[in-house]
PDB file of all heavy atoms in Angstrom:
ATOM      1  N   LYS A   1     247.691   6.299 173.912  1.00 91.00           N
ATOM      2  CA  LYS A   1     248.496   7.447 174.335  1.00 91.00           C
ATOM      3  C   LYS A   1     247.662   8.714 174.300  1.00 91.00           C
ATOM      4  O   LYS A   1     247.049   9.039 173.285  1.00 91.00           O
ATOM      5  CB  LYS A   1     249.704   7.588 173.403  1.00 91.00           C
ATOM      6  CG  LYS A   1     250.620   8.751 173.711  1.00 91.00           C
ATOM      7  CD  LYS A   1     251.772   8.773 172.722  1.00 91.00           C
ATOM      8  CE  LYS A   1     252.695   9.959 172.951  1.00 91.00           C
ATOM      9  NZ  LYS A   1     253.798   9.997 171.949  1.00 91.00           N
ATOM     10  N   ILE A   2     247.641   9.418 175.439  1.00 94.00           N
ATOM     11  CA  ILE A   2     246.908  10.680 175.553  1.00 94.00           C
ATOM     12  C   ILE A   2     247.918  11.822 175.625  1.00 94.00           C
ATOM     13  O   ILE A   2     248.856  11.777 176.418  1.00 94.00           O
ATOM     14  CB  ILE A   2     246.017  10.715 176.809  1.00 94.00           C
ATOM     15  CG1 ILE A   2     245.020   9.557 176.790  1.00 94.00           C
ATOM     16  CG2 ILE A   2     245.281  12.052 176.900  1.00 94.00           C
ATOM     17  CD1 ILE A   2     244.236   9.414 178.082  1.00 94.00           C
ATOM     18  N   SER A   3     247.722  12.843 174.799  1.00 96.00           N
ATOM     19  CA  SER A   3     248.597  14.013 174.806  1.00 96.00           C
ATOM     20  C   SER A   3     247.766  15.269 175.024  1.00 96.00           C
ATOM     21  O   SER A   3     246.718  15.449 174.389  1.00 96.00           O
ATOM     22  CB  SER A   3     249.354  14.109 173.471  1.00 96.00           C
ATOM     23  OG  SER A   3     250.140  15.289 173.419  1.00 96.00           O
ATOM     24  N   VAL A   4     248.225  16.145 175.931  1.00 96.00           N
ATOM     25  CA  VAL A   4     247.544  17.406 176.227  1.00 96.00           C
ATOM     26  C   VAL A   4     248.540  18.547 176.055  1.00 96.00           C
ATOM     27  O   VAL A   4     249.606  18.544 176.668  1.00 96.00           O
ATOM     28  CB  VAL A   4     246.972  17.429 177.659  1.00 96.00           C
ATOM     29  CG1 VAL A   4     246.314  18.789 177.943  1.00 96.00           C
ATOM     30  CG2 VAL A   4     245.963  16.307 177.858  1.00 96.00           C
ATOM     31  N   GLU A   5     248.198  19.520 175.216  1.00 97.00           N
ATOM     32  CA  GLU A   5     249.034  20.707 175.006  1.00 97.00           C
ATOM     33  C   GLU A   5     248.238  21.955 175.351  1.00 97.00           C
ATOM     34  O   GLU A   5     247.064  22.057 175.008  1.00 97.00           O
ATOM     35  CB  GLU A   5     249.501  20.798 173.557  1.00 97.00           C
ATOM     36  CG  GLU A   5     250.508  19.752 173.152  1.00 97.00           C
ATOM     37  CD  GLU A   5     251.056  20.006 171.752  1.00 97.00           C
ATOM     38  OE1 GLU A   5     251.741  21.029 171.555  1.00 97.00           O
ATOM     39  OE2 GLU A   5     250.771  19.187 170.862  1.00 97.00           O
ATOM     40  N   MET A   6     248.905  22.905 176.012  1.00 97.00           N
ATOM     41  CA  MET A   6     248.292  24.181 176.375  1.00 97.00           C
ATOM     42  C   MET A   6     249.137  25.320 175.820  1.00 97.00           C
ATOM     43  O   MET A   6     250.350  25.349 176.005  1.00 97.00           O
ATOM     44  CB  MET A   6     248.184  24.326 177.894  1.00 97.00           C
ATOM     45  CG  MET A   6     247.373  23.260 178.580  1.00 97.00           C
ATOM     46  SD  MET A   6     247.357  23.470 180.382  1.00 97.00           S
ATOM     47  CE  MET A   6     246.482  25.044 180.562  1.00 97.00           C
ATOM     48  N   ARG A   7     248.492  26.255 175.140  1.00 97.00           N
ATOM     49  CA  ARG A   7     249.160  27.458 174.625  1.00 97.00           C
ATOM     50  C   ARG A   7     248.322  28.668 175.025  1.00 97.00           C
ATOM     51  O   ARG A   7     247.097  28.620 174.944  1.00 97.00           O
ATOM     52  CB  ARG A   7     249.300  27.415 173.104  1.00 97.00           C
ATOM     53  CG  ARG A   7     250.024  26.201 172.558  1.00 97.00           C
ATOM     54  CD  ARG A   7     249.984  26.189 171.027  1.00 97.00           C
ATOM     55  NE  ARG A   7     250.541  24.971 170.489  1.00 97.00           N
ATOM     56  CZ  ARG A   7     251.836  24.803 170.177  1.00 97.00           C
ATOM     57  NH1 ARG A   7     252.671  25.812 170.360  1.00 97.00           N
ATOM     58  NH2 ARG A   7     252.266  23.666 169.671  1.00 97.00           N
ATOM     59  N   ALA A   8     248.976  29.755 175.426  1.00 96.00           N
ATOM     60  CA  ALA A   8     248.232  30.941 175.857  1.00 96.00           C
ATOM     61  C   ALA A   8     248.832  32.211 175.290  1.00 96.00           C
ATOM     62  O   ALA A   8     250.049  32.327 175.126  1.00 96.00           O
ATOM     63  CB  ALA A   8     248.200  31.024 177.382  1.00 96.00           C
ATOM     64  N   VAL A   9     247.962  33.168 174.992  1.00 94.00           N
ATOM     65  CA  VAL A   9     248.356  34.512 174.583  1.00 94.00           C
ATOM     66  C   VAL A   9     247.565  35.508 175.433  1.00 94.00           C
ATOM     67  O   VAL A   9     246.691  35.131 176.199  1.00 94.00           O
ATOM     68  CB  VAL A   9     248.092  34.757 173.082  1.00 94.00           C
ATOM     69  CG1 VAL A   9     248.975  33.866 172.228  1.00 94.00           C
ATOM     70  CG2 VAL A   9     246.624  34.517 172.744  1.00 94.00           C
ATOM     71  N   ASN A  10     247.875  36.785 175.277  1.00 93.00           N
ATOM     72  CA  ASN A  10     247.257  37.819 176.107  1.00 93.00           C
ATOM     73  C   ASN A  10     245.756  37.944 175.860  1.00 93.00           C
ATOM     74  O   ASN A  10     245.275  37.805 174.742  1.00 93.00           O
ATOM     75  CB  ASN A  10     247.905  39.178 175.833  1.00 93.00           C
ATOM     76  CG  ASN A  10     249.374  39.197 176.197  1.00 93.00           C
ATOM     77  OD1 ASN A  10     249.898  38.229 176.744  1.00 93.00           O
ATOM     78  ND2 ASN A  10     250.051  40.279 175.895  1.00 93.00           N
ATOM     79  N   ASN A  11     245.043  38.215 176.939  1.00 92.00           N
ATOM     80  CA  ASN A  11     243.609  38.482 176.858  1.00 92.00           C
ATOM     81  C   ASN A  11     243.200  39.153 178.164  1.00 92.00           C
ATOM     82  O   ASN A  11     243.732  38.852 179.222  1.00 92.00           O
ATOM     83  CB  ASN A  11     242.822  37.177 176.671  1.00 92.00           C
ATOM     84  CG  ASN A  11     241.421  37.429 176.155  1.00 92.00           C
ATOM     85  OD1 ASN A  11     240.709  38.303 176.623  1.00 92.00           O
ATOM     86  ND2 ASN A  11     241.007  36.648 175.177  1.00 92.00           N
ATOM     87  N   LYS A  12     242.250  40.094 178.086  1.00 88.00           N
ATOM     88  CA  LYS A  12     241.805  40.787 179.293  1.00 88.00           C
ATOM     89  C   LYS A  12     241.136  39.837 180.280  1.00 88.00           C
ATOM     90  O   LYS A  12     241.164  40.058 181.494  1.00 88.00           O
ATOM     91  CB  LYS A  12     240.828  41.911 178.933  1.00 88.00           C
ATOM     92  CG  LYS A  12     241.477  43.108 178.250  1.00 88.00           C
ATOM     93  CD  LYS A  12     240.452  44.210 178.020  1.00 88.00           C
ATOM     94  CE  LYS A  12     241.112  45.434 177.384  1.00 88.00           C
ATOM     95  NZ  LYS A  12     240.129  46.529 177.161  1.00 88.00           N
ATOM     96  N   PHE A  13     240.521  38.786 179.741  1.00 91.00           N
ATOM     97  CA  PHE A  13     239.799  37.850 180.603  1.00 91.00           C
ATOM     98  C   PHE A  13     240.375  36.452 180.410  1.00 91.00           C
ATOM     99  O   PHE A  13     241.344  36.261 179.677  1.00 91.00           O
ATOM    100  CB  PHE A  13     238.302  37.883 180.266  1.00 91.00           C
ATOM    101  CG  PHE A  13     237.712  39.258 180.274  1.00 91.00           C
ATOM    102  CD1 PHE A  13     237.498  39.943 179.080  1.00 91.00           C
ATOM    103  CD2 PHE A  13     237.400  39.884 181.467  1.00 91.00           C
ATOM    104  CE1 PHE A  13     236.970  41.226 179.081  1.00 91.00           C
ATOM    105  CE2 PHE A  13     236.870  41.172 181.479  1.00 91.00           C
ATOM    106  CZ  PHE A  13     236.656  41.847 180.287  1.00 91.00           C
ATOM    107  N   CYS A  14     239.769  35.475 181.056  1.00 93.00           N
ATOM    108  CA  CYS A  14     240.192  34.091 180.894  1.00 93.00           C
ATOM    109  C   CYS A  14     239.288  33.420 179.863  1.00 93.00           C
ATOM    110  O   CYS A  14     238.088  33.263 180.094  1.00 93.00           O
ATOM    111  CB  CYS A  14     240.133  33.340 182.227  1.00 93.00           C
ATOM    112  SG  CYS A  14     240.704  31.633 182.099  1.00 93.00           S
ATOM    113  N   GLU A  15     239.870  33.061 178.743  1.00 94.00           N
ATOM    114  CA  GLU A  15     239.118  32.399 177.680  1.00 94.00           C
ATOM    115  C   GLU A  15     239.758  31.044 177.405  1.00 94.00           C
ATOM    116  O   GLU A  15     240.905  30.965 176.955  1.00 94.00           O
ATOM    117  CB  GLU A  15     239.124  33.257 176.419  1.00 94.00           C
ATOM    118  CG  GLU A  15     238.351  32.649 175.255  1.00 94.00           C
ATOM    119  CD  GLU A  15     238.439  33.491 173.997  1.00 94.00           C
ATOM    120  OE1 GLU A  15     238.735  34.699 174.112  1.00 94.00           O
ATOM    121  OE2 GLU A  15     238.234  32.941 172.905  1.00 94.00           O
ATOM    122  N   MET A  16     239.024  29.976 177.689  1.00 95.00           N
ATOM    123  CA  MET A  16     239.542  28.619 177.555  1.00 95.00           C
ATOM    124  C   MET A  16     238.877  27.933 176.359  1.00 95.00           C
ATOM    125  O   MET A  16     237.657  27.801 176.313  1.00 95.00           O
ATOM    126  CB  MET A  16     239.267  27.838 178.832  1.00 95.00           C
ATOM    127  CG  MET A  16     240.139  26.624 179.033  1.00 95.00           C
ATOM    128  SD  MET A  16     241.792  26.998 179.673  1.00 95.00           S
ATOM    129  CE  MET A  16     241.416  27.733 181.269  1.00 95.00           C
ATOM    130  N   ASN A  17     239.689  27.507 175.377  1.00 96.00           N
ATOM    131  CA  ASN A  17     239.172  26.836 174.188  1.00 96.00           C
ATOM    132  C   ASN A  17     239.751  25.426 174.091  1.00 96.00           C
ATOM    133  O   ASN A  17     240.970  25.243 174.182  1.00 96.00           O
ATOM    134  CB  ASN A  17     239.537  27.625 172.927  1.00 96.00           C
ATOM    135  CG  ASN A  17     239.017  29.049 172.971  1.00 96.00           C
ATOM    136  OD1 ASN A  17     237.818  29.275 173.074  1.00 96.00           O
ATOM    137  ND2 ASN A  17     239.916  30.018 172.911  1.00 96.00           N
ATOM    138  N   PHE A  18     238.862  24.438 173.905  1.00 96.00           N
ATOM    139  CA  PHE A  18     239.292  23.042 173.855  1.00 96.00           C
ATOM    140  C   PHE A  18     239.108  22.455 172.462  1.00 96.00           C
ATOM    141  O   PHE A  18     238.097  22.698 171.794  1.00 96.00           O
ATOM    142  CB  PHE A  18     238.485  22.203 174.849  1.00 96.00           C
ATOM    143  CG  PHE A  18     238.860  22.432 176.286  1.00 96.00           C
ATOM    144  CD1 PHE A  18     238.284  23.466 177.012  1.00 96.00           C
ATOM    145  CD2 PHE A  18     239.788  21.612 176.912  1.00 96.00           C
ATOM    146  CE1 PHE A  18     238.629  23.690 178.325  1.00 96.00           C
ATOM    147  CE2 PHE A  18     240.136  21.828 178.230  1.00 96.00           C
ATOM    148  CZ  PHE A  18     239.565  22.866 178.947  1.00 96.00           C
ATOM    149  N   ARG A  19     240.091  21.691 172.042  1.00 94.00           N
ATOM    150  CA  ARG A  19     239.983  20.865 170.846  1.00 94.00           C
ATOM    151  C   ARG A  19     240.333  19.446 171.278  1.00 94.00           C
ATOM    152  O   ARG A  19     241.488  19.166 171.630  1.00 94.00           O
ATOM    153  CB  ARG A  19     240.936  21.341 169.754  1.00 94.00           C
ATOM    154  CG  ARG A  19     240.577  22.717 169.205  1.00 94.00           C
ATOM    155  CD  ARG A  19     241.483  23.099 168.051  1.00 94.00           C
ATOM    156  NE  ARG A  19     241.198  24.444 167.568  1.00 94.00           N
ATOM    157  CZ  ARG A  19     241.859  25.037 166.573  1.00 94.00           C
ATOM    158  NH1 ARG A  19     242.851  24.385 165.978  1.00 94.00           N
ATOM    159  NH2 ARG A  19     241.556  26.253 166.190  1.00 94.00           N
ATOM    160  N   LEU A  20     239.355  18.575 171.256  1.00 91.00           N
ATOM    161  CA  LEU A  20     239.560  17.238 171.803  1.00 91.00           C
ATOM    162  C   LEU A  20     238.765  16.205 171.022  1.00 91.00           C
ATOM    163  O   LEU A  20     237.734  16.527 170.413  1.00 91.00           O
ATOM    164  CB  LEU A  20     239.174  17.203 173.276  1.00 91.00           C
ATOM    165  CG  LEU A  20     237.719  17.385 173.693  1.00 91.00           C
ATOM    166  CD1 LEU A  20     237.578  17.087 175.181  1.00 91.00           C
ATOM    167  CD2 LEU A  20     237.186  18.777 173.440  1.00 91.00           C
ATOM    168  N   PRO A  21     239.202  14.958 171.032  1.00 87.00           N
ATOM    169  CA  PRO A  21     238.452  13.900 170.366  1.00 87.00           C
ATOM    170  C   PRO A  21     237.082  13.722 171.011  1.00 87.00           C
ATOM    171  O   PRO A  21     236.893  14.009 172.195  1.00 87.00           O
ATOM    172  CB  PRO A  21     239.330  12.654 170.592  1.00 87.00           C
ATOM    173  CG  PRO A  21     240.680  13.181 170.934  1.00 87.00           C
ATOM    174  CD  PRO A  21     240.449  14.475 171.639  1.00 87.00           C
ATOM    175  N   ARG A  22     236.126  13.235 170.221  1.00 85.00           N
ATOM    176  CA  ARG A  22     234.780  13.045 170.734  1.00 85.00           C
ATOM    177  C   ARG A  22     234.758  12.141 171.959  1.00 85.00           C
ATOM    178  O   ARG A  22     233.926  12.299 172.857  1.00 85.00           O
ATOM    179  CB  ARG A  22     233.895  12.468 169.628  1.00 85.00           C
ATOM    180  CG  ARG A  22     232.429  12.409 169.994  1.00 85.00           C
ATOM    181  CD  ARG A  22     231.591  12.053 168.795  1.00 85.00           C
ATOM    182  NE  ARG A  22     232.019  10.795 168.200  1.00 85.00           N
ATOM    183  CZ  ARG A  22     231.554  10.328 167.047  1.00 85.00           C
ATOM    184  NH1 ARG A  22     230.685  11.050 166.351  1.00 85.00           N
ATOM    185  NH2 ARG A  22     231.972   9.179 166.572  1.00 85.00           N
ATOM    186  N   LEU A  23     235.700  11.216 172.010  1.00 83.00           N
ATOM    187  CA  LEU A  23     235.781  10.287 173.130  1.00 83.00           C
ATOM    188  C   LEU A  23     235.908  11.000 174.465  1.00 83.00           C
ATOM    189  O   LEU A  23     235.433  10.514 175.494  1.00 83.00           O
ATOM    190  CB  LEU A  23     236.979   9.349 172.919  1.00 83.00           C
ATOM    191  CG  LEU A  23     237.285   8.287 173.989  1.00 83.00           C
ATOM    192  CD1 LEU A  23     236.157   7.265 174.032  1.00 83.00           C
ATOM    193  CD2 LEU A  23     238.621   7.616 173.697  1.00 83.00           C
ATOM    194  N   PHE A  24     236.543  12.217 174.452  1.00 89.00           N
ATOM    195  CA  PHE A  24     236.809  12.946 175.695  1.00 89.00           C
ATOM    196  C   PHE A  24     235.805  14.064 175.960  1.00 89.00           C
ATOM    197  O   PHE A  24     235.963  14.812 176.921  1.00 89.00           O
ATOM    198  CB  PHE A  24     238.225  13.526 175.662  1.00 89.00           C
ATOM    199  CG  PHE A  24     239.307  12.494 175.669  1.00 89.00           C
ATOM    200  CD1 PHE A  24     240.013  12.202 174.519  1.00 89.00           C
ATOM    201  CD2 PHE A  24     239.611  11.795 176.826  1.00 89.00           C
ATOM    202  CE1 PHE A  24     241.003  11.241 174.518  1.00 89.00           C
ATOM    203  CE2 PHE A  24     240.607  10.836 176.836  1.00 89.00           C
ATOM    204  CZ  PHE A  24     241.306  10.555 175.672  1.00 89.00           C
ATOM    205  N   ASN A  25     234.801  14.202 175.124  1.00 89.00           N
ATOM    206  CA  ASN A  25     233.805  15.263 175.321  1.00 89.00           C
ATOM    207  C   ASN A  25     233.193  15.276 176.722  1.00 89.00           C
ATOM    208  O   ASN A  25     232.984  16.354 177.300  1.00 89.00           O
ATOM    209  CB  ASN A  25     232.692  15.158 174.276  1.00 89.00           C
ATOM    210  CG  ASN A  25     233.107  15.733 172.934  1.00 89.00           C
ATOM    211  OD1 ASN A  25     234.090  16.467 172.841  1.00 89.00           O
ATOM    212  ND2 ASN A  25     232.378  15.404 171.883  1.00 89.00           N
ATOM    213  N   PRO A  26     232.883  14.122 177.310  1.00 89.00           N
ATOM    214  CA  PRO A  26     232.270  14.138 178.647  1.00 89.00           C
ATOM    215  C   PRO A  26     233.165  14.734 179.731  1.00 89.00           C
ATOM    216  O   PRO A  26     232.678  15.088 180.811  1.00 89.00           O
ATOM    217  CB  PRO A  26     232.002  12.646 178.926  1.00 89.00           C
ATOM    218  CG  PRO A  26     231.956  12.004 177.594  1.00 89.00           C
ATOM    219  CD  PRO A  26     232.945  12.756 176.755  1.00 89.00           C
ATOM    220  N   PHE A  27     234.479  14.845 179.436  1.00 93.00           N
ATOM    221  CA  PHE A  27     235.412  15.316 180.461  1.00 93.00           C
ATOM    222  C   PHE A  27     235.779  16.795 180.315  1.00 93.00           C
ATOM    223  O   PHE A  27     236.567  17.330 181.098  1.00 93.00           O
ATOM    224  CB  PHE A  27     236.702  14.488 180.415  1.00 93.00           C
ATOM    225  CG  PHE A  27     236.486  13.015 180.519  1.00 93.00           C
ATOM    226  CD1 PHE A  27     236.999  12.151 179.562  1.00 93.00           C
ATOM    227  CD2 PHE A  27     235.766  12.482 181.574  1.00 93.00           C
ATOM    228  CE1 PHE A  27     236.805  10.782 179.656  1.00 93.00           C
ATOM    229  CE2 PHE A  27     235.566  11.111 181.688  1.00 93.00           C
ATOM    230  CZ  PHE A  27     236.082  10.257 180.719  1.00 93.00           C
ATOM    231  N   GLU A  28     235.218  17.477 179.302  1.00 94.00           N
ATOM    232  CA  GLU A  28     235.618  18.864 179.052  1.00 94.00           C
ATOM    233  C   GLU A  28     235.326  19.772 180.244  1.00 94.00           C
ATOM    234  O   GLU A  28     236.162  20.596 180.632  1.00 94.00           O
ATOM    235  CB  GLU A  28     234.923  19.407 177.804  1.00 94.00           C
ATOM    236  CG  GLU A  28     235.329  20.849 177.492  1.00 94.00           C
ATOM    237  CD  GLU A  28     234.710  21.386 176.216  1.00 94.00           C
ATOM    238  OE1 GLU A  28     234.330  20.575 175.342  1.00 94.00           O
ATOM    239  OE2 GLU A  28     234.593  22.629 176.106  1.00 94.00           O
ATOM    240  N   ASP A  29     234.143  19.646 180.845  1.00 94.00           N
ATOM    241  CA  ASP A  29     233.791  20.508 181.974  1.00 94.00           C
ATOM    242  C   ASP A  29     234.732  20.288 183.154  1.00 94.00           C
ATOM    243  O   ASP A  29     235.116  21.246 183.844  1.00 94.00           O
ATOM    244  CB  ASP A  29     232.342  20.250 182.411  1.00 94.00           C
ATOM    245  CG  ASP A  29     231.337  20.859 181.445  1.00 94.00           C
ATOM    246  OD1 ASP A  29     231.751  21.729 180.649  1.00 94.00           O
ATOM    247  OD2 ASP A  29     230.163  20.460 181.479  1.00 94.00           O
ATOM    248  N   ARG A  30     235.116  19.053 183.403  1.00 93.00           N
ATOM    249  CA  ARG A  30     236.050  18.767 184.501  1.00 93.00           C
ATOM    250  C   ARG A  30     237.396  19.438 184.251  1.00 93.00           C
ATOM    251  O   ARG A  30     237.983  20.048 185.155  1.00 93.00           O
ATOM    252  CB  ARG A  30     236.271  17.259 184.644  1.00 93.00           C
ATOM    253  CG  ARG A  30     235.044  16.451 185.026  1.00 93.00           C
ATOM    254  CD  ARG A  30     235.492  15.047 185.440  1.00 93.00           C
ATOM    255  NE  ARG A  30     234.448  14.051 185.268  1.00 93.00           N
ATOM    256  CZ  ARG A  30     234.605  12.761 185.529  1.00 93.00           C
ATOM    257  NH1 ARG A  30     235.776  12.311 185.959  1.00 93.00           N
ATOM    258  NH2 ARG A  30     233.610  11.908 185.352  1.00 93.00           N
ATOM    259  N   LEU A  31     237.882  19.314 183.012  1.00 94.00           N
ATOM    260  CA  LEU A  31     239.157  19.943 182.672  1.00 94.00           C
ATOM    261  C   LEU A  31     239.082  21.457 182.786  1.00 94.00           C
ATOM    262  O   LEU A  31     239.990  22.115 183.289  1.00 94.00           O
ATOM    263  CB  LEU A  31     239.570  19.564 181.251  1.00 94.00           C
ATOM    264  CG  LEU A  31     240.138  18.159 181.030  1.00 94.00           C
ATOM    265  CD1 LEU A  31     240.445  17.952 179.556  1.00 94.00           C
ATOM    266  CD2 LEU A  31     241.382  17.935 181.864  1.00 94.00           C
ATOM    267  N   ARG A  32     237.978  22.018 182.313  1.00 94.00           N
ATOM    268  CA  ARG A  32     237.811  23.475 182.365  1.00 94.00           C
ATOM    269  C   ARG A  32     237.876  23.984 183.799  1.00 94.00           C
ATOM    270  O   ARG A  32     238.533  24.986 184.092  1.00 94.00           O
ATOM    271  CB  ARG A  32     236.490  23.862 181.703  1.00 94.00           C
ATOM    272  CG  ARG A  32     236.307  25.364 181.494  1.00 94.00           C
ATOM    273  CD  ARG A  32     234.970  25.653 180.822  1.00 94.00           C
ATOM    274  NE  ARG A  32     234.880  25.054 179.499  1.00 94.00           N
ATOM    275  CZ  ARG A  32     235.383  25.614 178.399  1.00 94.00           C
ATOM    276  NH1 ARG A  32     235.998  26.789 178.478  1.00 94.00           N
ATOM    277  NH2 ARG A  32     235.251  25.026 177.230  1.00 94.00           N
ATOM    278  N   LYS A  33     237.191  23.311 184.699  1.00 94.00           N
ATOM    279  CA  LYS A  33     237.211  23.710 186.109  1.00 94.00           C
ATOM    280  C   LYS A  33     238.608  23.581 186.694  1.00 94.00           C
ATOM    281  O   LYS A  33     239.061  24.437 187.464  1.00 94.00           O
ATOM    282  CB  LYS A  33     236.219  22.873 186.907  1.00 94.00           C
ATOM    283  CG  LYS A  33     234.758  23.180 186.604  1.00 94.00           C
ATOM    284  CD  LYS A  33     233.828  22.267 187.388  1.00 94.00           C
ATOM    285  CE  LYS A  33     232.360  22.559 187.053  1.00 94.00           C
ATOM    286  NZ  LYS A  33     231.437  21.641 187.773  1.00 94.00           N
ATOM    287  N   SER A  34     239.294  22.504 186.345  1.00 92.00           N
ATOM    288  CA  SER A  34     240.645  22.288 186.850  1.00 92.00           C
ATOM    289  C   SER A  34     241.593  23.382 186.376  1.00 92.00           C
ATOM    290  O   SER A  34     242.367  23.937 187.165  1.00 92.00           O
ATOM    291  CB  SER A  34     241.154  20.923 186.387  1.00 92.00           C
ATOM    292  OG  SER A  34     242.494  20.720 186.780  1.00 92.00           O
ATOM    293  N   PHE A  35     241.527  23.745 185.102  1.00 94.00           N
ATOM    294  CA  PHE A  35     242.420  24.766 184.555  1.00 94.00           C
ATOM    295  C   PHE A  35     242.044  26.166 185.067  1.00 94.00           C
ATOM    296  O   PHE A  35     242.915  26.978 185.364  1.00 94.00           O
ATOM    297  CB  PHE A  35     242.378  24.742 183.027  1.00 94.00           C
ATOM    298  CG  PHE A  35     243.027  23.524 182.420  1.00 94.00           C
ATOM    299  CD1 PHE A  35     242.732  23.155 181.120  1.00 94.00           C
ATOM    300  CD2 PHE A  35     243.916  22.748 183.137  1.00 94.00           C
ATOM    301  CE1 PHE A  35     243.319  22.032 180.552  1.00 94.00           C
ATOM    302  CE2 PHE A  35     244.511  21.623 182.589  1.00 94.00           C
ATOM    303  CZ  PHE A  35     244.206  21.260 181.281  1.00 94.00           C
TER     304      PHE A  35
END
């Protein structure tokens, strides 16, 4: 089972922070571009 949660607060710019299992590290850049 894979679960993805997104939470956002105010910021002047776009700041994307990921917390993910090591298994998904290779996919972080893909997710970042998508978001």
